[in-house]
Amino acid sequence: MHCNYCQKPIVRNLKVKEILFPWTLPISELCDDCRKSFVPLKKAGSCPGCMRQAASFCLDCQAWQRQYPDYEFAHEALFAYEDSFAQWLAMYKFTGDYRLRWTFAQEVRQALKKYPGFILCPIPLAKERWQERGFNQTTGFLQAAGSSYQELLHRTKQDLPQSKKTREERLRLAQPYRLAVSPEKIYGKKILLVDDVYTTGRTLFHAARILLTAHPAQIRTFSLAR
């Protein structure tokens, strides 16, 4: 097997389960060097609202709480958005290296076990962006993790990529989403909104606001990085 990211051969001892049941072998995994290059986030010592390093709710989440007083803040991210992750994301999302959807499949699969009964809702792309890129990076890594999802939202507006906007421009983003299903499919359900990266939170809060109009029982948010 080769590392999904750097393509170096991976040599390791097989687990007893993998020897007896070879179909349980992971389709893809990272070598130790690549795995160590990504910085995992821990909930201890981080903002309970967005997982930024903070002793309590960070200033951003306090501002969002004033804007969304009835929203329950609970975001989970797996990795810190630093140089190594940014380089990986550029290869996956912007260069279009679709094989990289497998990079964090094991970590995503394990993390999503904490959300039983939740409908996974990926953040959608506008039609123009999908045609340009050829895939939705979020549904890509969910598929690689073997996670089922439902596309509850539709993006109505094409805009510049978030990576090309300043923080202020991201925060001023107008509402780009509408429901893609009837409200009855959301009413009383638990929803986990999934995106690739949490930056300002503007994208996820826009999406959550639309879902809230259909009165779900609960909304949580999840991303690969923060």
Side-chain angles (χ1 to χ4, degrees):
M1 181 179 291
H2 291 75
C3 174
N4 175 260
Y5 190 22
C6 71
Q7 293 298 296
K8 290 190 301 187
I10 295 176
V11 179
R12 65 172 176 83
N13 293 325
L14 295 179
K15 301 174 184 177
V16 173
K17 181 181 178 182
E18 292 171 335
I19 295 173
L20 295 176
F21 309 103
W23 56 87
T24 64
L25 280 164
I27 295 175
S28 178
E29 59 182 297
L30 292 175
C31 67
D32 288 342
D33 288 341
C34 285
R35 190 174 300 280
K36 290 175 183 176
S37 71
F38 299 106
V39 181
L41 291 177
K42 297 181 180 179
K43 287 198 172 183
S46 64
C47 168
C50 71
M51 292 195 71
R52 171 180 285 172
Q53 292 301 295
S56 58
F57 281 104
C58 68
L59 294 177
D60 280 358
C61 281
Q62 291 178 42
W64 286 122
Q65 285 174 330
R66 290 191 290 272
Q67 190 170 344
Y68 295 88
D70 299 323
Y71 182 79
E72 190 174 356
F73 288 77
H75 181 77
E76 179 179 5
L78 300 183
F79 300 100
Y81 187 79
E82 38 65 64
D83 289 345
S84 293
F85 191 92
Q87 291 170 11
W88 172 85
L89 188 65
M91 288 181 63
Y92 173 44
K93 186 175 178 178
F94 301 117
T95 306
D97 193 343
Y98 194 50
R99 67 182 174 84
L100 294 181
R101 69 192 186 281
W102 295 98
T103 302
F104 304 113
Q106 295 182 58
E107 289 82 357
V108 171
R109 188 182 303 115
Q110 187 62 34
L112 293 180
K113 289 180 180 179
K114 293 178 286 188
Y115 300 93
F118 277 77
I119 297 174
L120 306 187
C121 174
I123 293 295
L125 297 181
K127 180 180 179 181
E128 295 85 355
R129 186 75 67 223
W130 196 96
Q131 291 174 335
E132 172 188 298
R133 191 172 298 160
F135 64 94
N136 181 326
Q137 69 278 359
T138 302
T139 59
F141 73 71
L142 287 176
Q143 290 168 358
S147 302
S148 61
Y149 58 86
Q150 295 184 34
E151 297 182 346
L152 306 177
L153 297 168
H154 175 74
R155 182 157 190 148
T156 59
K157 296 182 179 180
Q158 168 72 2
D159 205 352
L160 283 174
Q162 292 285 77
S163 60
K164 295 184 179 180
K165 296 178 182 177
T166 66
R167 174 182 170 82
E168 290 71 25
E169 287 172 334
R170 291 173 180 177
L171 289 171
R172 291 198 301 267
L173 176 69
Q175 175 61 262
Y177 304 115
R178 63 172 174 79
L179 286 182
V181 298
S182 64
E184 291 76 18
K185 291 185 178 294
I186 298 172
Y187 180 82
K189 302 291 176 48
K190 295 189 292 184
I191 310 294
L192 182 67
L193 275 168
V194 184
D195 204 359
D196 53 354
V197 178
Y198 183 114
T199 48
T200 63
R202 176 70 279 177
T203 296
L204 287 168
F205 282 112
H206 267 326
R209 170 164 278 177
I210 295 300
L211 293 175
L212 286 170
T213 64
H215 304 290
Q218 193 175 53
I219 293 179
R220 292 283 186 271
T221 54
F222 176 89
S223 65
L224 287 180
R226 168 67 171 102

